[in-house]
Amino acid sequence: MPNQPPHPNYVRIFDTTLRDGEQSPGATMTSAEKLQIARALARMGVDVIEAGFPAASPDDLEAVRRIAIEVGNPDPRHNGHRVPIITGLARAVKSDIDAAWEAVRHAARPRIHTFLATSPIHMQYKLRMTPREVVQRVREMVAYARSLTDDVEFSPEDAGRSDPEFLYEVLAAAIEAGATTLNIPDTVGYTTPEEFYRLIKGIMEHTPGIEQVIVSVHCHNDLGLATANTLAGLMAGARQAEVTINGIGERAGNTALEEVVMALRVRHDVYGLETGIDTTQIVRVSQMVSRITGMAVQPNKAIVGANAFAHEAGIHQDGMLKHQQTYEIMRPEMVGWPKSRLVLGKHSGRHALRVRLEELGYRLRPEELDEIFREFKRLADRKKTITDADLMALVSEERGLAPEEEVFHLEAAQVVAGTGMPSATVRLRGPDGQVHIATAVGTGPVDAAYKAIEQVVGVQPVLLEYVVNAVTEGIDAVGEVTVRIQPAEAEARPSPQGTARPRTFGGYAADTDVILASAKAYLIAINKMLAARQSDPADTAPASAAA
Ligand code: KIV
Ligand code: ZN
């Protein structure tokens, strides 16, 4: 079997943030953003990165190809760093498999992941294929994929609602045809942990040849059971878990990487299983994904939510002061939450900043450090003490947009708030280098600032989501703003499952002034929309114009 795991209790972490995660409504990412996330996943120790669905569009293929080349090969600067397997998803048709192979073949460890539905409802209504035809197609397409590479994963889509006997037959055909990983998806998040355990156990016991392959699980969260089902599958013998950062994905999402990895670590006594994840990088990657997708993490989200380690009730605080384990089952530092709260101040130098950022896991290029240092000094003028959380917000903010994606730059914003007529004036530098100034009145200062930006840029996107969070405590806290927008009458792009996904764009910014952060976040999202329009005019143009 290719790419043998190091030992029988090793669970491969297969991250599909860039494929299933990107299918979340609103989580579309640019190619540069996908590359940034893929790098972070590799650094964190993810075993397999599903980088996309190459057959969806030439852009998607190119994004996967870039990741295969740049993340899927040994990097001399990171000696000893394990190189992840890079995979791309393909329906069980030749053209999809060819596209996936074209994209991943540049990686040192390429994998093709192909799938075909096996539940009665999918076979009858979606595929219009008989069970015999399904078995035959699986045989042919897995064999075809295997003729291209020796690492092939097959998924019987909607396995959770498939007849187990039929599954054993389909999976045996896939093994005979050369599949090396068999992934069992609960595509619609329907099964319960007990059922899923029995399903995987049954597959382990009744599928001829199963000992030659790795069994994987892929659970959706429609009933909030994704993590429980994944763990049940691992207990039954699966040794690969398919997950996404922050649990993003189709509908209610996928199993969250951070939850499975930390459950295996904290409850090693129960599971006896290990992963290769450096858990101290979890929070940083979670925040990166949230910023890039514009999908805020709910404060009470396990492991990565802002309140996951906050103790509010007096009785809890009292207990914590007496012994940390009274109310904490893991230390926040284990997952990368900052250990110390007060770190730097106005008099801290560039060196201290660099050292602290490195401790937090950020390795910046000298020019990036210069930029962050300038921003740090500006912040220190307004805020007495700069916490780790402030620093993390600052770095996320500065890395918000690759320079080539910045079409309009916000130079200044001024608002008048209060009852009466809230208004805003913005000064933007446009792609022509010209300065544009506009003033608008709105229902509040943020609305006014957004209207003024729209006047300059000449677009009026639909604002789908606007979320403000305070990163730190106190009146001088840094506020972070995440927005998601959609072009008016946006075109939809197909997902692997054939569902339409309207293209939306996210923006993230942080500042002690939340109005400024709001304006910056909005402009970042608009810039992404404009950049996408330039690279693929049909993608974001109003439906009438595209027709
Ligand atoms: O949920 C699902 O069934 C999938 C497969 C394509 C693996 O995402
Ligand atoms: Zn899925």
Side-chain angles (χ1 to χ4, degrees):
M1 194 194 309
N3 309 313
Q4 276 286 1
H7 57 81
N9 293 336
Y10 186 86
V11 176
R12 270 192 178 151
I13 297 298
F14 174 120
D15 184 281
T16 182
T17 304
L18 299 175
R19 198 278 297 169
D20 213 322
E22 210 218 5
Q23 286 170 228
S24 314
T28 337
M29 303 170 219
T30 65
S31 173
E33 289 169 339
K34 287 182 183 172
L35 188 61
Q36 195 186 344
I37 292 178
R39 284 209 175 98
L41 293 172
R43 254 200 314 272
M44 187 164 66
V46 158
D47 302 272
V48 188
I49 297 177
E50 185 160 63
F53 174 43
S57 73
D59 265 6
D60 288 59
L61 190 148
E62 186 48 30
V64 179
R65 208 172 69 89
R66 253 180 100 181
I67 291 170
I69 294 169
E70 296 189 30
V71 185
N73 284 288
D75 181 343
R77 285 170 304 172
H78 301 117
N79 240 348
H81 211 265
R82 249 173 346 113
V83 176
I85 295 169
I86 307 293
T87 191
L89 186 67
R91 287 166 297 192
V93 291
K94 267 192 168 173
S95 54
D96 271 33
I97 294 174
D98 286 337
W101 178 238
E102 175 50 34
V104 300
R105 70 189 172 86
H106 309 274
R109 303 169 72 197
R111 172 182 291 186
I112 295 174
H113 177 193
T114 187
F115 73 100
L116 189 65
T118 50
S119 64
I121 190 165
H122 276 233
M123 288 190 290
Q124 184 178 350
Y125 294 104
K126 190 182 87 171
L127 300 176
R128 297 183 200 285
M129 287 171 81
T130 65
R132 289 304 103 218
E133 288 168 336
V134 166
V135 175
Q136 187 51 26
R137 175 78 73 79
V138 169
R139 217 179 263 289
E140 284 167 12
M141 290 303 114
V142 170
Y144 180 59
R146 186 61 203 258
S147 72
L148 302 171
T149 174
D150 63 358
D151 191 346
V152 175
E153 173 168 330
F154 169 71
S155 295
E157 192 192 6
D158 205 15
R161 291 188 300 172
S162 300
D163 169 20
E165 299 291 332
F166 180 57
L167 268 185
Y168 307 152
E169 186 187 344
V170 173
L171 296 175
I175 296 171
E176 270 179 27
T180 44
T181 298
L182 293 178
N183 175 49
I184 312 302
D186 180 19
T187 304
V188 290
Y190 179 69
T191 60
T192 66
E194 296 74 17
E195 278 173 336
F196 202 62
Y197 176 89
R198 281 201 300 274
L199 181 68
I200 302 298
K201 196 90 186 144
I203 288 170
M204 305 299 297
E205 286 169 0
H206 298 113
T207 308
I210 199 75
E211 64 293 340
Q212 302 162 29
V213 302
I214 292 204
V215 173
S216 165
V217 287
H218 175 117
C219 299
H220 279 268
N221 204 29
D222 299 65
L223 292 174
L225 294 172
T227 300
N229 285 343
T230 297
L231 294 169
L234 296 176
M235 285 290 252
R239 287 295 176 269
Q240 175 177 285
E242 300 203 353
V243 292
T244 60
I245 301 291
N246 301 335
I248 64 172
E250 279 274 356
R251 306 180 310 278
N254 288 66
T255 306
L257 176 146
E258 60 275 12
E259 293 176 13
V260 170
V261 168
M262 290 315 290
L264 294 181
R265 177 156 177 203
V266 174
R267 298 311 311 273
H268 191 266
D269 56 328
V270 173
Y271 297 104
L273 299 172
E274 274 126 48
T275 73
I277 299 294
D278 171 1
T279 61
T280 61
Q281 303 199 27
I282 284 178
V283 168
R284 192 165 57 87
V285 181
S286 155
Q287 293 181 347
M288 178 190 285
V289 169
S290 167
R291 169 177 58 74
I292 286 177
T293 57
M295 294 180 73
V297 176
Q298 75 197 58
N300 59 322
K301 166 81 184 62
I303 320 290
V304 293
N307 292 348
F309 293 90
H311 303 273
E312 183 70 27
I315 205 163
H316 287 209
Q317 289 180 353
D318 181 55
M320 283 291 291
L321 289 172
K322 289 177 176 146
H323 196 294
Q324 168 260 323
Q325 281 176 6
T326 49
Y327 287 101
E328 231 167 52
I329 58 166
M330 56 195 149
R331 298 291 305 146
E333 307 89 86
M334 280 165 72
V335 294
W337 282 109
K339 182 165 45 192
S340 60
R341 307 219 87 178
L342 302 184
V343 276
L344 303 171
K346 192 178 171 133
H347 303 293
S348 309
R350 200 170 174 283
H351 177 70
L353 176 68
R354 182 174 60 75
V355 171
R356 190 63 202 134
L357 285 171
E358 282 182 6
E359 281 167 5
L360 290 172
Y362 297 103
R363 268 169 220 289
L364 304 182
R365 291 194 301 275
E367 60 281 11
E368 283 180 318
L369 183 65
D370 288 344
E371 186 53 38
I372 301 285
F373 187 59
R374 272 195 292 279
E375 283 304 315
F376 164 77
K377 283 290 178 187
R378 250 175 248 150
L379 184 61
D381 277 341
R382 287 178 278 162
K383 198 168 185 296
K384 230 163 76 197
T385 47
I386 312 286
T387 65
D388 288 342
D390 290 330
L391 288 181
M392 288 164 88
L394 210 62
V395 178
S396 301
E397 226 262 309
E398 280 310 311
R399 289 179 158 187
L401 208 61
E404 70 270 18
E405 287 161 3
E406 196 178 51
V407 185
F408 284 89
H409 176 74
L410 180 70
E411 291 200 334
Q414 182 138 16
V415 297
V416 179
T419 49
M421 286 210 301
S423 64
T425 302
V426 297
R427 194 172 75 225
L428 307 187
R429 187 168 293 277
D432 48 4
Q434 297 253 326
V435 167
H436 306 262
I437 297 177
T439 299
V441 172
T443 52
V446 174
D447 184 47
Y450 282 17
K451 288 204 167 101
I453 289 174
E454 287 166 7
Q455 268 183 39
V456 173
V457 182
V459 293
Q460 267 190 312
V462 182
L463 182 62
L464 299 172
E465 198 174 299
Y466 169 78
V467 182
V468 189
N469 267 321
V471 184
T472 44
E473 303 99 49
I475 193 72
D476 57 358
V478 169
E480 54 177 15
V481 175
T482 347
V483 299
R484 273 194 306 124
I485 61 168
Q486 184 176 297
E489 304 170 60
E491 282 265 286
R493 293 196 313 171
S495 77
Q497 278 89 354
T499 50
R501 45 176 182 149
R503 191 112 201 240
T504 66
F505 301 87
Y508 165 95
D511 200 287
T512 47
D513 180 335
V514 286
I515 309 273
L516 209 52
S518 304
K520 285 186 198 169
Y522 193 49
L523 193 58
I524 286 172
I526 288 181
N527 276 330
K528 285 185 191 173
M529 189 177 91
L530 297 177
R533 187 175 286 177
Q534 271 163 15
S535 71
D536 184 359
D539 209 16
T540 56
S544 52

